[in-house]
Amino acid sequence: MLTYIVYGATNGDTCDEAAAITDDIIGFCIEDSLLQDPGPKLIGGDFNASVHRLPSLQEALRVLGYINLGAVASQFGKPDNETTCKAENSNTRTIRD
């Protein structure tokens, strides 16, 4: 399995520049994955942004057959879209990582 681990720029949900940096990193991972042998591929990590802020990730999910495992966690006995973090300066839990 080809695995990419991404640590996205901080505040990608509120900062366009941070979201763009993270999106570029994900885009580079996708571009590289297309050059590799066929087989399973995983892009994971802490993106520090929601999917709707990352067009490259959206395209990978929509067009390239990638699957958001958190969105389909019920297939593995867990709740779909369960929150994964709560930032120090927030009272709200999110699924940004």
Side-chain angles (χ1 to χ4, degrees):
M1 175 182 292
L2 182 60
T3 304
Y4 300 89
I5 304 299
V6 174
Y7 187 81
T10 304
N11 296 322
D13 259 5
T14 57
C15 175
D16 291 342
E17 182 179 0
I21 290 168
T22 301
D23 190 61
D24 284 346
I25 294 168
I26 293 169
F28 295 140
C29 294
I30 293 166
E31 287 177 26
D32 182 76
S33 75
L34 295 171
L35 300 173
Q36 306 306 318
D37 292 334
K41 296 171 176 70
L42 173 72
I43 301 174
D46 184 348
F47 298 156
N48 284 312
S50 301
V51 173
H52 75 275
R53 299 277 291 163
L54 305 169
S56 293
L57 182 57
Q58 291 175 48
E59 181 179 354
L61 293 167
R62 189 178 59 252
V63 178
L64 299 176
Y66 281 78
I67 299 168
N68 179 343
L69 293 176
V72 297
S74 59
Q75 294 179 22
F76 311 101
K78 299 291 182 181
D80 289 343
N81 298 308
E82 186 171 26
T83 59
T84 56
C85 71
K86 184 176 97 43
E88 257 182 55
N89 60 349
S90 174
N91 291 324
T92 305
R93 295 185 59 81
T94 68
I95 55 173
R96 291 182 199 136
D97 53 302

